[in-house]
Amino acid sequence: MLSYVHAFHAGNYGDILKHTVLFHTLTHLLKKDKPFCVLDTHSGSGKYLLSDQRLLKTGEAQNGIQKLLQAPEKDLDAIFGTDFLSILKKYTEKGFYPGSPEIARTLLRKKDQLLLNELHPAVFEELKANMHTPPLERLQEEKALPSITITREDAAAFLNRSVPPMVKRGCVIIDPSYEDAEDYRNTALMFSKAWKKWSSASWLIWYPLLSRRKDEIEALKQTVTDTVESTNSTQDKKSVFFEIQIRDESSLTGLSSMYGSGMLAVNPVYGLTEKMAQALPLMEKYLR
């Protein structure tokens, strides 16, 4: 829906969880010399000014990434790893928070591909402008950036058209706003249809933990799990989820019922579960 603008919420605890999972996924894909492709269905602006009045109004970055970066260095390293922590510090020190497209730009090589999509017209223009400025940090020795394509269309249409990409290795990040109950069902259907066309990719699906949407959240998780595990002939789970609970659910009323955040990972990369098992308790400890 076009009423949602992520600039009000960038750098909150949902972003921290989402981007930590994304970073670990991308760094694993980089271990092989073969190129890979990243698809981002809801790209947002790419990066965000921490001094933006919209973000200051909600205080979500102040109570999110800016609060967390005050934690002891050893715990931050356990949460993010050295490289991601370096990126976060570089951007926040310069007054920015990097979104998924910007994080990908710091990592991907010239031979890799980054396919971005954003439906909101104003945010789409911000995304284009941000992707035409150099990233503040690069973890690759080569200066050349990956091939970047930016489109403006419905996320399901973008995903259905884009998979499988020419480069068969890669990952997809799905990050809807979940403004109404149907968004959960639509996200599950969008995934199920596209996954059948590119089942070898790593799929990352973000979702909020909301008191009033527990049935919808469970249905989303169950649909994704059933879709994936129905064809799984191994002992390893093809779908896992990671969740953090930051606020006391019992104290929340009305529409302000988001108490945490979750990430579904389909075909999780090697070592992701162990890394997140270490990170999640520390995130909760310092963000509560």
Side-chain angles (χ1 to χ4, degrees), residues 27-251:
T27 52
H28 181 82
L29 289 170
L30 284 165
K31 289 181 178 180
K32 290 187 177 180
D33 189 55
K34 294 180 180 178
F36 64 91
C37 181
V38 178
L39 281 74
D40 190 343
T41 61
H42 301 76
S43 296
S45 300
K47 67 179 179 182
Y48 304 88
L49 267 173
L50 294 172
S51 60
D52 189 309
Q53 288 302 311
R54 295 169 294 183
L55 199 47
L56 294 176
K57 181 178 180 180
T58 62
E60 292 193 28
Q62 292 170 314
N63 291 310
I65 189 61
Q66 290 172 301
K67 179 180 180 180
L68 183 54
L69 288 178
Q70 302 304 310
E73 193 76 9
K74 64 178 180 62
D75 288 339
L76 290 174
D77 192 62
I79 293 171
F80 298 121
T82 304
D83 287 341
F84 191 29
L85 179 58
S86 173
I87 290 171
L88 290 171
K89 285 185 174 182
K90 180 82 173 215
Y91 275 83
T92 55
E93 285 168 2
K94 290 187 176 294
F96 290 97
Y97 180 78
S100 301
E102 191 72 3
I103 291 168
R105 285 206 307 165
T106 70
L107 288 169
L108 270 58
R109 305 156 298 192
K110 181 181 179 180
K111 59 188 171 185
D112 301 320
Q113 296 179 353
L114 179 58
L115 307 183
L116 306 176
N117 182 67
E118 175 54 50
L119 183 60
H120 193 292
V123 178
F124 173 71
E125 294 300 325
E126 292 176 356
L127 175 64
K128 286 199 300 181
N130 283 329
M131 292 299 102
H132 280 95
T133 60
L136 299 180
E137 183 76 290
R138 281 280 289 162
L139 295 187
Q140 301 297 332
E141 291 184 4
E142 61 181 13
K143 293 183 179 180
L145 294 172
S147 167
I148 301 176
T149 303
I150 307 174
T151 58
R152 179 177 173 253
E153 58 184 310
D154 173 77
F158 162 75
L159 191 54
N160 188 54
R161 175 182 59 77
S162 301
V163 298
M166 292 288 290
V167 177
K168 295 302 189 288
R169 296 180 69 232
C171 79
V172 180
I173 180 164
I174 301 174
D175 177 23
S177 58
Y178 298 103
E179 290 185 84
D180 64 45
E182 280 301 300
D183 285 347
Y184 297 85
R185 179 175 178 273
N186 291 339
T187 298
L189 292 175
M190 174 172 63
F191 163 79
S192 298
K193 184 177 180 179
W195 181 82
K196 293 171 184 176
K197 297 169 67 176
W198 197 23
S199 60
S200 61
S202 291
W203 294 75
L204 308 176
I205 305 172
W206 178 84
Y207 56 92
L209 295 180
L210 296 162
S211 299
R212 69 184 191 281
R213 296 287 187 229
K214 286 191 173 182
D215 290 343
E216 291 86 350
I217 293 166
E218 287 307 311
L220 166 64
K221 291 160 66 174
Q222 194 62 54
T223 299
V224 170
T225 300
D226 289 347
T227 299
V228 173
E229 299 300 344
S230 64
T231 60
N232 185 8
S233 59
T234 72
Q235 295 296 316
D236 297 326
K237 287 186 177 181
K238 282 192 173 183
S239 62
V240 297
F241 63 89
F242 311 107
E243 293 183 350
I244 52 173
Q245 297 187 22
I246 303 302
R247 303 171 69 188
D248 179 7
E249 183 185 357
S250 64
S251 68

